[in-house]
């Protein structure tokens, strides 16, 4: 079903073909963006299966609404915006659902804190967890994971995806100045976190 | 965050090293059938319908003449519909009278049709014998029971024919 000649066309041309009902054009859009989107989402949520679900949700949402896409904007900005929103929504939901692992905030004595803390040390690692640990186990990945989600999106889009500041501002729906500030702060945090590493 | 660490390199060199490290991060691949799973949930529009609509739209707006023609046609249709509504509202009595006349005419024609069909039936050579057969109540009841039985048997047979048989065994390698 894939058509190799589509690989040389621009995103706008592929979108026009998709709008005219060519299934191969839809597949080409998925082929072009599956790795960048999945990588961004994986680094945002740090769970392979969940990142794949979010990437699938992003593609389905974008491709089913392809008629509403406005060609004067970059397709990549549009689809990255949908993916980033999906990731941020998920992280916010997860934050609400997260229980304190360090014991109840109302506990006053060390015994009470220990009694109310969740024990997760015995958890068995699945093969998938091992893959994730290997893939995201580097010092850089760990430092990125410690950043706030907004800083993480900015730094990944800027330095891993190579997007321009203006495009990042468009993707995240933030003012340009805020994006620059976020990237500056994120870099400072990374610098502090990775200071012990010697190249 | 550990704020106590000191960078071992001057800021510019450290920034360059950090940029290189970030740019060297690999892209990850989703699982093998990822695109198929995406495509299974995507609604691809029917190209024939899209082409037809686009062709009609292109032809309609191809020249000022075709646009004017289309506008005239649209105006004619909408205008005649509006005129019809206005006239009907202004002449309700006429419309009611016409409706009554139409209903009585239809009734008369229906009655003539039924009478004609009955007369044709009665003129058939087998009609007298058939009528004689149903003269007695016992025979009439028997004929009715027979007719009902034939009808019910026919319905059951049709239903059986239309019902798809349930699969008795699975096909190897098929995704059930």
């Amino acid at each position: 079903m894939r058509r190799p000649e589509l690989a040389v066309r621009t995103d706008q041309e592929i979108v026009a073909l998709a709008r005219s009902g060519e299934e191969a054009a839809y597949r080409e859009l998925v082929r072009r963006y599956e790795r960048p989107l999945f990588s961004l989402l994986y680094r945002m949520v740090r769970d392979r299966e969940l990142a794949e679900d979010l990437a699938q949700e992003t593609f389905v949402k974008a491709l089913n609404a392809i008629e509403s896409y406005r060609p004067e904007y970059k397709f990549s900005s549009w689809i990255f915006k949908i993916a980033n929103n999906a990731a941020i929504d998920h992280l916010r939901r997860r934050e609400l659902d997260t229980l304190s692992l360090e014991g109840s905030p109302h506990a006053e004595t060390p015994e009470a804190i220990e009694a109310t803390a969740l024990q997760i040390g015995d958890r068995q690692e699945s093969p998938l967890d091992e893959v994730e640990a290997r893939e995201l186990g580097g010092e850089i990945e760990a430092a990125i994971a410690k950043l706030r989600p907004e800083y993480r999106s900015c730094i990944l889009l800027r330095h891993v995806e190579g997007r321009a500041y203006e495009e990042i501002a468009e993707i995240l729906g933030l003012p340009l100045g805020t994006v620059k500030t976020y990237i500056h702060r994120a870099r400072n945090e990374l610098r502090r976190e990775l200071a012990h590493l010697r190249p | 965050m550990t704020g106590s660490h000191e960078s071992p390199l001057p800021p510019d060199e450290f920034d360059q090293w950090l940029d290189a490290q970030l740019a060297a991060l690999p892209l990850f691949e989703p699982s093998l059938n990822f695109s198929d799973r995406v495509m299974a949930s995507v609604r691809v529009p029917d190209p024939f319908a899209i082409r037809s609509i686009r062709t009609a739209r292109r032809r309609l707006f191809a020249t000022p003449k075709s646009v004017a023609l289309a506008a005239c046609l649209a105006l004619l249709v909408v205008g005649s519909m509006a005129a019809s509504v206005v006239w009907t509202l202004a002449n309700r009595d006429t419309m009611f009278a016409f409706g009554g006349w139409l209903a009585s005419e239809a009734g008369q024609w229906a009655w003539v049709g039924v009478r004609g069909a009955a007369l044709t039936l009665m003129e058939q050579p087998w009609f007298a014998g058939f009528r004689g057969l149903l003269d007695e109540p016992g025979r009439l009841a028997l004929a009715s029971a027979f007719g009902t039985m034939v009808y019910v048997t026919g319905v059951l047979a049709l239903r059986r024919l239309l019902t798809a048989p349930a699969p008795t065994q699975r096909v190897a390698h098929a995704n059930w």
Side-chain angles (χ1 to χ4, degrees), chain A residues 16 18-23 26-27 30-31 34-36 38-39 42-43 48 52-53 55-56 59-60 63-64 67 135-136 140-141 143-144 146-147 155-156 159-161 187 189-199, chain B residues 1-51 54 57:
Chain A
R19 281 177 163 176
S20 65
E22 277 212 33
E23 196 186 324
Y26 282 83
R27 284 190 180 275
V30 176
R31 190 194 65 78
E34 63 181 348
R35 291 181 71 208
F38 175 69
S39 301
Y42 190 17
R43 289 194 167 102
R48 189 163 245 285
E52 223 171 273
D53 286 348
Q56 186 178 345
F59 275 115
V60 171
L63 297 181
N64 279 338
E67 282 297 324
E135 284 176 339
L136 300 172
I140 305 274
E141 299 282 10
I144 292 171
K146 286 182 184 171
L147 296 172
I155 210 86
L156 290 172
H159 292 288
V160 182
E161 286 302 320
R187 286 178 68 90
E189 286 191 19
L190 288 178
R191 189 180 288 124
R192 273 202 301 274
E193 199 64 34
L194 300 169
H196 63 288
L197 288 181
R198 288 171 189 277
Chain B
M1 293 289 153
T2 52
S4 60
H5 292 295
E6 285 297 320
S7 169
L9 292 170
D12 283 351
E13 279 183 50
F14 194 88
D15 278 345
Q16 282 172 9
W17 174 80
L18 184 61
D19 285 347
Q21 293 293 311
L22 289 169
L25 288 175
L27 283 180
F28 298 119
E29 294 248 16
S31 56
L32 270 179
N33 56 355
F34 176 77
S35 62
D36 291 329
R37 277 193 286 134
V38 169
M39 288 309 294
S41 306
V42 171
R43 295 183 302 271
V44 180
D46 176 16
F48 179 73
I50 291 173
R51 267 202 297 274
R54 281 187 185 164
R57 205 183 290 166

Side-chain angles (χ1 to χ4, degrees), chain A:
Chain A
M1 194 61 87
R2 226 197 112 201
R3 283 169 46 191
E5 72 270 19
L6 292 179
V8 294
R9 302 240 186 148
T10 63
D11 280 356
Q12 313 294 2
E13 289 171 335
I14 301 291
V15 169
L17 286 172
R19 281 177 163 176
S20 65
E22 277 212 33
E23 196 186 324
Y26 282 83
R27 284 190 180 275
E28 177 62 22
L29 288 172
V30 176
R31 190 194 65 78
R32 278 184 191 191
Y33 287 99
E34 63 181 348
R35 291 181 71 208
L37 279 191
F38 175 69
S39 301
L40 175 78
L41 290 164
Y42 190 17
R43 289 194 167 102
M44 289 293 287
V45 300
R46 294 181 70 79
D47 179 325
R48 189 163 245 285
E49 209 174 325
L50 177 64
E52 223 171 273
D53 286 348
L54 291 174
Q56 186 178 345
E57 185 189 314
T58 301
F59 275 115
V60 171
K61 208 180 268 184
L63 297 181
N64 279 338
I66 201 123
E67 282 297 324
S68 68
Y69 162 68
R70 289 162 64 189
E72 61 265 31
Y73 297 107
K74 285 179 89 170
F75 180 78
S76 60
S77 300
W78 188 60
I79 202 158
F80 269 110
K81 186 175 193 155
I82 298 172
N84 186 68
N85 287 345
I88 296 287
D89 280 353
H90 171 79
L91 291 173
R92 280 185 190 146
R93 269 202 310 273
R94 194 166 67 180
E95 204 175 304
L96 287 175
D97 295 342
T98 304
L99 290 168
S100 170
L101 300 182
E102 292 164 354
S104 166
H106 305 295
E108 286 172 357
T109 62
E111 292 77 27
I113 292 171
E114 197 181 343
T116 54
L118 280 178
Q119 300 296 315
I120 56 168
D122 296 339
R123 185 172 161 262
Q124 285 280 341
E125 276 211 339
S126 69
L128 195 67
D129 293 334
E130 279 177 34
V131 171
E132 282 169 14
R134 207 166 46 242
E135 284 176 339
L136 300 172
E139 298 255 18
I140 305 274
E141 299 282 10
I144 292 171
K146 286 182 184 171
L147 296 172
R148 275 170 53 177
E150 296 82 2
Y151 292 1
R152 215 182 306 164
S153 303
C154 283
I155 210 86
L156 290 172
L157 288 167
R158 175 72 189 143
H159 292 288
V160 182
E161 286 302 320
R163 304 280 154 190
Y165 285 111
E166 291 76 11
E167 198 183 343
I168 298 171
E170 201 179 301
I171 291 169
L172 303 179
L174 294 171
L176 187 59
T178 309
V179 168
K180 286 181 179 171
T181 307
Y182 279 7
I183 290 176
H184 181 72
R185 286 180 188 167
R187 286 178 68 90
N188 279 345
E189 286 191 19
L190 288 178
R191 189 180 288 124
R192 273 202 301 274
E193 199 64 34
L194 300 169
H196 63 288
L197 288 181
R198 288 171 189 277

Side-chain angles (χ1 to χ4, degrees), chain B residues 66-88:
Chain B
S66 63
V67 174
L69 189 70
C72 283
L73 278 173
L75 203 68
L76 195 72
V77 172
V78 173
S80 58
M81 281 167 72
S84 154
V85 170
V86 170
W87 187 88
T88 308

